[in-house]
Amino acid sequence: MITAIVLIRTSVDRIPEIAEEIAAIEGVSEVYSVTGGYDLVAMVRVRHHDDLAAVIPARVNKIPGVEHTETQIAFRTYSKHDLEAAFALGLD
């Protein structure tokens, strides 16, 4: 699974509507409204790198009000939840 973190600048008067539109796109698992230099952060999870093009430039960037995106691709995932699950194996 390929994970991309997409930092998104939007029209400030449409942040909630844009967030909902992005969240409805297949491949987008979460959308966060955030503080700082960006308005939204979207988590995109797809099976292949090529699938990112079908989600980010082809869908997210075409939503009216999306002004700029910056995409970060995750090399590895480190999660407290994953570690807890691994250590709990076989303890039942």
Side-chain angles (χ1 to χ4, degrees):
M1 185 70 61
I2 309 297
T3 301
I5 299 97
V6 185
L7 308 172
I8 305 164
R9 285 193 194 113
T10 69
S11 302
V12 294
D13 60 332
R14 292 200 63 239
I15 292 173
E17 294 85 2
I18 293 168
E20 288 179 15
E21 287 183 58
I22 294 170
I25 296 171
E26 186 176 343
V28 175
S29 59
E30 300 98 20
V31 179
Y32 301 96
S33 178
V34 296
T35 61
Y38 292 91
D39 302 302
L40 301 171
V41 174
M43 303 300 293
V44 176
R45 293 181 170 84
V46 294
R47 294 199 179 276
H48 307 285
H49 277 96
D50 292 345
D51 297 336
L52 291 172
V55 175
I56 301 164
R59 301 282 310 276
V60 172
N61 289 352
K62 303 241 170 137
I63 293 173
V66 170
E67 298 172 352
H68 174 78
T69 61
E70 183 176 324
T71 302
Q72 308 289 316
I73 305 296
F75 292 127
R76 290 193 178 127
T77 301
Y78 301 91
S79 169
K80 179 179 177 183
H81 303 290
D82 293 340
L83 292 174
E84 287 175 354
F87 285 114
L89 290 177
L91 293 180
D92 290 335

